Amino acid sequence: MTTVSIRNTVKRFGTVEVIHGLSMEIASGEFVVFVGPSGCGKSTLLRMIAGLESFQHGEIAIDGRVVNAVPARDRDIAMVFQDYALYPHMTVEGNMGFGLKMRGIPRPDIDRRVQAAARILQIEHLLARRPRELSGGQRQRVAMGRAIVREPKVFLFDEPLSNLDAKLRVDMRTEIKRLHQHLGATMVYVTHDQVEAMTLADRIVVLHGGRIEQIGTPRELYQAPETRFVAGFIGAPAMNFLPARIAGDHAELPGGFRLPLGRRVVAGAAELGIRPEHLVQLAAGAPGLPSRIEVVEPLGADTLVTARIGDTPVVARLSGDAVVAPGETLVLGLDPARAHLFDAKTGRRL
Ligand SMILES: Nc1ncnc2c1ncn2[C@@H]1O[C@H](COP(=O)(O)OP(=O)(O)O)[C@@H](O)[C@H]1O
Ligand SMILES: [Mg+2]
């Protein structure tokens, strides 16, 4: 079983610092997802764990042993990339066993491990094929198979599903989760897709500009985002934000609507966040936030309504049988217990 410790790491490319003193602990057998927008440092951090990228300050330890000076091939880590990186001239079997062969593992052991991995991934019937004879999803399985046969201490994944179409991405996501449950290995997974992060992770690390914005379980990030950035990043459709002025125990919202907060909050300019699924349709004329409907998207079970409260656009997830049409007025109600307040200046949760 394997832990990973990242302690106060700083990474610069030339003079540009991209990881700013980042620390975190990954528990043995944990599935941790690094998520954040493009360029926030996810791949760099993963490559630092893998030993593919050096860094200027701090240390990384695997199972308590500092590996800063240990080359990638000696870290007992397997990495799966977005582009699969398969050898085109080798069969699936050859691709999966190649790393073991290079390490001088005896042939019968290689065969046994390749067969076992192929069975887990359900690609036994593809072992004699070459990569060009495989679909994108099958290639991705082979890339995972190559990682599994190594029996590594840690699996690292860098956006492994980005090249697959939407349906396959969802199927493979389930496969990866199943794989984690089956192997019980420590896994670190990078994605810019918050749905992937939510569905896969034991814990999510939200990165923003080379810093950790928040670490938590998917439920913690959804229910209690620490910052406006996390609030807006986790959840689909994204959380709505309304400009709010806090006065004592209530918030003044656009149009003069006063929302009781049930607690006293330090007064000032804030943003009130409310998720689309926590807005409800009230009867016409009821006390609430009047909005003008712009777009209606029926999804079957739900209906997504894009509307405007004054100048502020909002999305509401109403029930599938809501009667709504563009141009109409929709009175929105919100439960103060479901509202999130953020300081307008700092973006911190209030
Ligand atoms: N080899 C490199 N040389 C210079 N800058 C780099 C290099 N690799 C990444 N960067 C920069 O480091 C930052 C983080 O990049 P990266 O870790 O690839 O982000 P992510 O994977 O989150 O999209 C970006 O600003 C990127 O431009
Ligand atoms: Mg990347």
Side-chain angles (χ1 to χ4, degrees):
M1 297 303 267
T2 303
T3 60
V4 178
S5 309
I6 303 170
R7 298 180 193 133
N8 209 13
T9 52
V10 173
K11 168 69 184 175
R12 284 187 285 270
F13 287 108
T15 57
V16 182
E17 190 172 295
V18 298
I19 301 288
H20 315 285
L22 189 147
S23 303
M24 77 162 298
E25 296 288 326
I26 297 170
S28 190
E30 200 175 18
F31 198 127
V32 166
V33 177
F34 295 158
V35 71
S38 177
C40 70
K42 305 180 294 292
S43 295
T44 301
L45 195 54
L46 201 69
R47 291 169 57 82
M48 284 159 59
I49 298 172
L52 299 172
E53 205 74 75
S54 64
F55 47 95
Q56 281 69 33
H57 187 82
E59 57 189 30
I60 292 180
I62 297 174
D63 268 343
R65 170 179 171 235
V66 175
V67 293
N68 287 27
V70 177
R73 64 173 179 282
D74 297 329
R75 289 195 186 187
D76 213 353
I77 273 175
M79 192 147 165
V80 180
F81 299 93
Q82 177 177 345
D83 62 4
Y84 322 137
L86 301 178
Y87 299 109
H89 59 285
M90 283 185 203
T91 62
V92 166
E93 188 170 15
N95 266 286
M96 283 170 67
F98 185 70
L100 301 183
K101 194 167 142 193
M102 294 312 288
R103 272 157 210 264
I105 309 269
R107 188 81 243 170
D109 285 350
I110 297 178
D111 289 345
R112 185 181 47 76
R113 290 206 214 170
V114 168
Q115 287 295 335
R119 198 170 323 118
I120 292 170
L121 295 164
Q122 296 166 22
I123 52 173
E124 292 157 289
H125 60 296
L126 303 176
L127 285 172
R129 292 205 199 162
R130 285 174 215 285
R132 68 168 181 279
E133 299 164 318
L134 303 175
S135 69
Q138 291 170 334
R139 280 180 210 169
Q140 188 51 263
R141 275 172 209 263
V142 177
M144 292 206 289
R146 196 174 42 185
I148 293 171
V149 297
R150 301 241 331 257
E151 297 172 3
K153 285 182 163 175
V154 185
F155 286 83
L156 305 179
F157 297 91
D158 194 350
E159 312 234 10
L161 307 184
S162 297
N163 286 346
L164 304 179
D165 63 43
K167 162 87 171 78
L168 202 51
R169 207 151 60 219
V170 172
D171 292 348
M172 287 303 289
R173 198 169 76 196
T174 313
E175 286 301 311
I176 291 177
K177 194 151 185 169
R178 197 195 307 279
L179 185 67
H180 179 249
Q181 286 166 5
H182 180 83
L183 299 175
T186 308
M187 295 189 175
V188 187
Y189 188 105
V190 159
T191 179
H192 64 275
D193 178 348
Q194 62 89 23
V195 177
E196 230 169 85
M198 291 291 278
T199 50
L200 283 170
D202 293 322
R203 276 195 308 159
I204 298 176
V205 180
V206 181
L207 292 173
H208 184 204
R211 289 195 171 79
I212 294 176
E213 194 82 16
Q214 188 171 356
I215 303 181
T217 64
R219 188 166 295 179
E220 284 165 352
L221 296 196
Y222 176 83
Q223 291 181 343
E226 285 296 328
T227 65
R228 188 197 183 288
F229 179 82
V230 174
F233 194 78
I234 299 289
M239 187 184 283
N240 300 297
F241 294 99
L242 302 171
R245 176 144 290 281
I246 310 289
D249 61 358
H250 67 270
E252 281 170 26
L253 298 178
F257 183 75
R258 287 159 65 99
L259 182 75
L261 296 173
R263 62 188 172 115
R264 292 193 73 78
V265 178
V266 176
E271 280 190 280
L272 181 140
I274 182 84
R275 296 196 183 277
E277 52 273 35
H278 297 145
L279 284 169
V280 294
Q281 180 176 15
L282 300 179
L289 290 157
S291 70
R292 190 170 177 76
I293 299 176
E294 293 185 338
V295 179
V296 174
E297 295 166 281
L299 299 176
D302 318 307
T303 299
L304 288 186
V305 177
T306 302
R308 251 170 221 282
I309 300 171
D311 294 334
T312 310
V314 291
V315 175
R317 187 191 281 274
L318 305 181
S319 82
D321 48 23
V323 181
V324 280
E328 288 178 4
T329 296
L330 169 67
V331 182
L332 291 167
L334 58 93
D335 175 358
R338 297 288 203 175
H340 306 262
L341 287 172
F342 301 97
D343 186 292
K345 260 206 208 73
T346 65
R348 307 281 325 164
R349 183 179 192 83
L350 289 170

